[in-house]
Amino acid sequence: MATIPEGFKLVEEHFLDDINSEASLYRHELTGALVLYLKNDDPNKAFTIAFKTPPYDDNGVAHITEHSVLNGSEKYPSKEPFVELIKGSLNTFVNAMTFSDKTIYPVASTNQKDFSNLVSVYLDAVFKPKFYENTQILQQEGWHYHLPNESDDLIYKGVVYNEMKGALASAEAKLEQIKGKALYPETIYRHESGGTPASIPTLTQEKFVDFHSKYYHPSNSLTILYGDLDAENAFGQLSEYFDNFTQKDPITFEVKPEQKAHEPVLVDETYSITEGESVAKKAYLTKAWHVTTADHQKEVVALDILEEILLGSTSAPLKKALLNAGIGGDVYGGHDEVGYVHPFEVTLKYTDVDKVNQFEEIIHDVFSSLVTDGIPDDLVTAAINKLSFKLKETVISESFPRGVIYGITSLGSWLYGESPFEALSFTSVIDELKADAKDGYFETLIKDKLLDNTHTTTIKLAPEPGKSDRLEKELLEKLKDYKNKLSRDELEGLVKQTETLIKRQQTPDKPEDLAKIPTLEKSDLSASVADIPLEIDTIDDRQTYLVPLFTSGIDYTSLYFDISDLSNEDISTISLLSDVLGELPTAKHSVAQLHTAVDISTGGIRTAVKVVSQTDGTYKPYFVVKGKSLSEYATKLVDLIQEIILTTEFDHKSNILEVIHSNISGFEQKVNYRAHIVSAQRAVSHLLSGVKYQEAVSGIDYYYYLKKLLSDLEDDQAFSQSVKKFEDLAHTIFSRSKVFFTFTGSNEQYDAIKPKLNELLTSFATLPLKDSSEPIPVTAKKEAFKCSQDVNYVAKAGLFKAFTPYSGQLRVLSNVIDFDYLWNTIRVQGGAYGCFNQVTRNGVFTLASYRDPNIKETFEAYNKLPDYISKLTLKEPDVLKYIIGALSTLDRPLSAADQGELAINMALTNMTYNDRVELRQEVLSTTSDDLVQLADALGHTLDESSAVVVGNAAKIEDNKELFDDVLTLF
Ligand SMILES: [Zn+2]
């Protein structure tokens, strides 16, 4: 029994069935700080401390504070203890996040000692940061006037400044901002808590420090402790800080919209696209309503279900009506539950602003007819089942530590003075809604919250070619004027300030400061690797990989079809085939009926092309069909899989166009938020045939294919040919001689589904597998893709295999490169939001930057990497840190489903348990010399590399001599 320190009083306790935890709420008597302790046997312990941080304008103070507290504190005075910590910790999660009204600091680890180290550094960071006396922290993390030489152009620089410039460049981010302002003009939600590039430079050191002292106080904090942890120790750590404070008046801030009759608001705005680009069909239309507040839990859950009903699939009534009207290419939206006020919204993309009346009429008509005629019962049942399945799966998921998810969930209403327990008990609410649905609950919800609700806004967002370049120019002019007005002394002052900041960035921390950061010792590290059981069975004569694990009764079943004999010219078409299956009618069902049937009986059926690469550079593509369902629905799952892959009817042009549009939209979203992945994959694709294949499945090649197909399909004859092609491909692929199965779940579950899978086999044709196609030829090259972005994503990739084998030492080196070299050169000095490297088992070394203002300088920094490594002099404790960091990526807890995936991937790539053990031993025994010796190999690797930049058109033009090809993305 843990003893909770005296200063904390138990307020309330419950057992929460849905998350299988004993939940106790404690109050720290001196300050009123609240602590929610969720006790259970999950080894992945989590800690989250949250503060209410209401923004009062757009200067980003909450966000900059979030960054800056992690830049040194009283006990841990090095420049970035946070970075030191992730370098050498076994954490499963470390982050800090600013929301519209709160800032949270979550950490998680499966190792108790590591966990308390993380908590210690985080508590000192939030309560005792160094930025009160060190004004360079605001300059570094927030913004500063950057002027290395008097003759240079004056610019703004700073981590958050650049981050937000990237984050707010997209149309979607712009819509978010407009929505908050239009719906909630009298609350804090009208502000951009992340900060806007225009306002960030108005933040002064004084306002910055004030904000921290006002809000980072125990009385304004909410803490969540979760899992199988040493509670006495964790509460003791809290006391150490909380006990130094006294109670402060609770902070109130305006979260409630005014109680008045709201009139609909119409907003007209523009976003930037590349100069010279056509504006046709590039507008966005959004309609948003204020629907509820965080203290209405039942409505909150009901609105999630309503989102599923109205917009959950292409056949959902609202989405379908808008798509069928032919006024736009993609529809998305739903219930937004981040702050106290919750909007519901629907956005039409790839449209023109003059379609706004039609857009509003269609929405109105859909709602009216649903209210008058009622929502079909099975649509409601399917939506509720889909949500229940998702919640059930979260409880066994590991992709994000559960303790962190539950922390964020409880804050959803706890932050506003409600009970923290409520949001963690969802089953009872769902049951209640199931019953209420029969009495017209959801129809009334549509009527009251949407149809008759005048607290609404309609936003027209039109494309404006060259807007961001124009704004950038205006800013440079403004800064030029400002510079011209400065006196000699002031100019010298700025140069001096820039110089000292650069010096700070380049000066390593004092070893004695670094030594203060708590770390693990070698003896805390385990040398063992958890094995995953894998059994090989056969169903009739077809092989099955069976991963017998506890999955809370969920069956994870897949079919792999070997497609290595299909022509390389068809790769993108096969990928599109995988995207349209499930989105077209079948012999038995319309699309709407199919979606409903899938949602009622399963947790989803997905099809995709998967490329399995071997270490020798060969690869094999598969067409994979994945399904999951509760075990009692196994028969239904297999029936639906059979129906989709064998009886889909392809002759439905509008459905296929919808899928193409939604894929194009998805890819463009990816470029807006995760373009480093796009540029990195592209760079590797010029080196490895298997990744070149993947480009045609999901990369830039696939995007170009879809764009071309979209215009080709306007011709009906071309469409008929496509239908024929899909039919031929489906007929060729789904053959019994090409298939094998995988299954993750208990042995009993497998035995139950096996006869059904056997039956499925008998329905397949038996076309033999022919000879494999030739591997796609590749040559290293340097490419740039221009798009309407303010920032760049700079990637470089090379093959190291010819110079050194894949090893544990490389994994440790990769950690050194990330946290030592790239962090300092690309992020701290270059001003990019992030940068990472990767070494893979198939011999690829990749470097990629994220939201990077530079191109050339980044390549230069990449090129200097081998030299840096050759001069590396790491002391033993430093090497140990990097070893621990490398282990933490090997040790990430995996859900049963993910363990199943891993075991199957290992089998397909001929990776053995011993390979994993060996890799771990190599990591554990890495020395400083081992790392230095890799410098040469890395040098050769980078000499023969390929490079890809996705980014700002003007910046790419300025650097076009660096590339073999410069192309336009969008
Ligand atoms: Zn940030």
Side-chain angles (χ1 to χ4, degrees), residues 63 66-67 160 163 833:
H63 183 193
E66 173 232 298
H67 278 243
V160 169
E163 179 191 343
Y833 183 59

Side-chain angles (χ1 to χ4, degrees), residues 231-260:
E232 189 171 344
N233 181 62
F235 276 90
Q237 288 183 290
L238 289 171
S239 293
E240 199 192 311
Y241 289 89
F242 290 0
D243 290 353
N244 299 324
F245 290 85
T246 50
Q247 171 99 41
K248 205 170 160 176
D249 287 340
I251 286 168
T252 54
F253 51 91
E254 210 33 81
V255 290
K256 293 189 185 184
E258 248 174 73
Q259 294 292 328
K260 62 167 192 194

Side-chain angles (χ1 to χ4, degrees), residues 667-798:
F667 184 85
E668 289 174 358
Q669 282 279 57
K670 191 169 165 184
V671 171
N672 284 334
Y673 296 101
R674 300 191 304 281
H676 58 303
I677 296 171
V678 175
S679 53
Q681 175 177 306
R682 181 78 184 181
V684 181
S685 79
H686 297 311
L687 305 169
L688 284 180
S689 299
V691 182
K692 185 75 192 156
Y693 194 108
Q694 188 63 49
E695 266 293 288
V697 169
S698 68
I700 292 176
D701 285 343
Y702 186 50
Y703 174 72
Y704 282 148
Y705 160 84
L706 292 174
K707 294 273 268 201
K708 179 168 184 304
L709 189 64
L710 201 57
S711 64
D712 288 355
L713 290 188
E714 279 169 20
D715 174 35
D716 280 338
Q717 210 180 336
F719 178 71
S720 306
Q721 281 165 5
S722 284
V723 171
K724 178 85 178 49
K725 188 80 204 175
F726 282 140
E727 286 167 353
D728 288 350
L729 284 172
H731 179 71
T732 318
I733 294 170
F734 304 123
S735 167
R736 73 171 278 148
S737 48
K738 300 176 182 175
V739 74
F740 66 81
F741 298 101
T742 76
F743 184 87
T744 303
S746 69
N747 279 305
E748 296 72 46
Q749 284 166 245
Y750 176 66
D751 290 341
I753 199 174
K754 194 174 164 179
K756 192 67 199 172
L757 290 173
N758 201 347
E759 199 184 309
L760 173 66
L761 269 182
T762 61
S763 66
F764 290 159
T766 48
L767 292 180
L769 186 66
K770 290 183 287 189
D771 288 344
S772 298
S773 294
E774 287 297 309
I776 313 175
V778 289
T779 32
K781 66 164 121 169
K782 300 183 168 42
E783 285 178 318
F785 294 90
K786 299 191 280 187
C787 59
S788 35
Q789 287 255 357
D790 288 339
V791 285
N792 310 292
Y793 300 83
V794 181
K796 195 171 170 78

Side-chain angles (χ1 to χ4, degrees), residues 18-291:
D18 286 332
I19 63 165
N20 194 26
S21 307
E22 278 174 43
S24 331
L25 180 64
Y26 288 88
R27 183 188 183 82
H28 181 251
E29 293 200 292
L30 219 52
T31 60
L34 294 172
V35 182
L36 174 65
Y37 173 29
L38 302 170
K39 185 180 169 188
N40 57 42
D41 61 3
D42 189 345
N44 201 2
K45 304 160 237 305
F47 159 91
T48 301
I49 187 159
F51 300 94
K52 296 174 201 166
T53 52
Y56 55 86
D57 71 12
D58 292 336
N59 66 12
V61 62
H63 183 193
I64 295 169
T65 307
E66 173 232 298
H67 278 243
S68 302
V69 299
L70 303 169
N71 277 246
S73 62
E74 199 174 283
K75 254 198 213 171
Y76 309 112
S78 62
K79 278 186 292 181
E80 290 171 303
F82 171 69
V83 185
E84 283 308 308
L85 197 66
I86 14 186
K87 255 187 225 175
S89 152
L90 289 173
N91 75 81
T92 53
F93 193 81
V94 183
N95 211 337
M97 305 166 207
T98 309
F99 293 83
S100 51
D101 54 11
K102 62 176 176 279
T103 307
I104 68 168
Y105 297 86
V107 296
S109 179
T110 53
N111 177 299
Q112 175 61 46
K113 185 171 168 192
D114 188 51
F115 177 72
S116 52
N117 289 347
L118 292 163
V119 172
S120 170
V121 174
Y122 258 36
L123 284 173
D124 207 57
V126 297
F127 290 117
K128 306 270 178 190
K130 275 181 53 166
F131 60 67
Y132 280 71
E133 60 271 12
N134 187 340
T135 54
Q136 284 186 318
I137 294 176
L138 173 60
Q139 295 168 18
Q140 161 70 31
E141 294 300 319
W143 74 279
H144 65 273
Y145 286 115
H146 197 74
L147 191 68
N149 301 296
E150 253 188 72
S151 57
D152 289 339
D153 283 339
L154 184 63
I155 56 166
Y156 290 132
K157 224 171 162 179
V159 176
V160 169
Y161 180 81
N162 283 330
E163 179 191 343
M164 294 314 293
K165 214 166 148 180
L168 298 177
S170 73
E172 280 85 3
K174 185 115 207 166
L175 282 172
E176 272 299 300
Q177 252 192 309
I178 300 171
K179 187 183 70 184
K181 276 197 171 64
L183 282 182
Y184 308 112
E186 65 281 0
T187 73
I188 57 163
Y189 301 108
R190 68 185 180 280
H191 300 304
E192 170 56 61
S193 63
T196 63
S199 297
I200 289 171
T202 63
L203 180 64
T204 59
Q205 171 74 13
E206 196 191 352
K207 289 189 209 166
F208 175 50
V209 166
D210 275 355
F211 189 85
H212 181 270
S213 65
K214 183 163 178 198
Y215 294 112
Y216 281 59
H217 188 285
S219 305
N220 189 44
S221 74
L222 299 167
T223 301
I224 301 107
L225 296 169
Y226 168 90
D228 181 16
L229 51 78
D230 181 344
E232 189 171 344
N233 181 62
F235 276 90
Q237 288 183 290
L238 289 171
S239 293
E240 199 192 311
Y241 289 89
F242 290 0
D243 290 353
N244 299 324
F245 290 85
T246 50
Q247 171 99 41
K248 205 170 160 176
D249 287 340
I251 286 168
T252 54
F253 51 91
E254 210 33 81
V255 290
K256 293 189 185 184
E258 248 174 73
Q259 294 292 328
K260 62 167 192 194
H262 285 264
E263 293 291 315
V265 180
L266 181 73
V267 188
D268 229 325
E269 263 279 11
T270 65
Y271 75 99
S272 184
I273 59 169
T274 311
E275 186 73 71
E277 215 187 308
S278 145
V279 295
K281 293 187 182 162
K282 290 213 178 81
Y284 291 73
L285 294 170
T286 292
K287 185 144 179 85
W289 302 260
H290 166 62
V291 285

Side-chain angles (χ1 to χ4, degrees), residues 336-360:
D336 175 357
E337 45 196 302
V338 175
Y340 176 74
V341 286
H342 292 194
F344 193 97
E345 70 214 56
V346 54
T347 294
L348 180 65
K349 194 177 165 179
Y350 304 113
T351 184
D352 295 298
V353 285
D354 61 7
K355 303 286 190 303
V356 67
N357 291 337
Q358 258 174 292
F359 172 67
E360 296 209 79

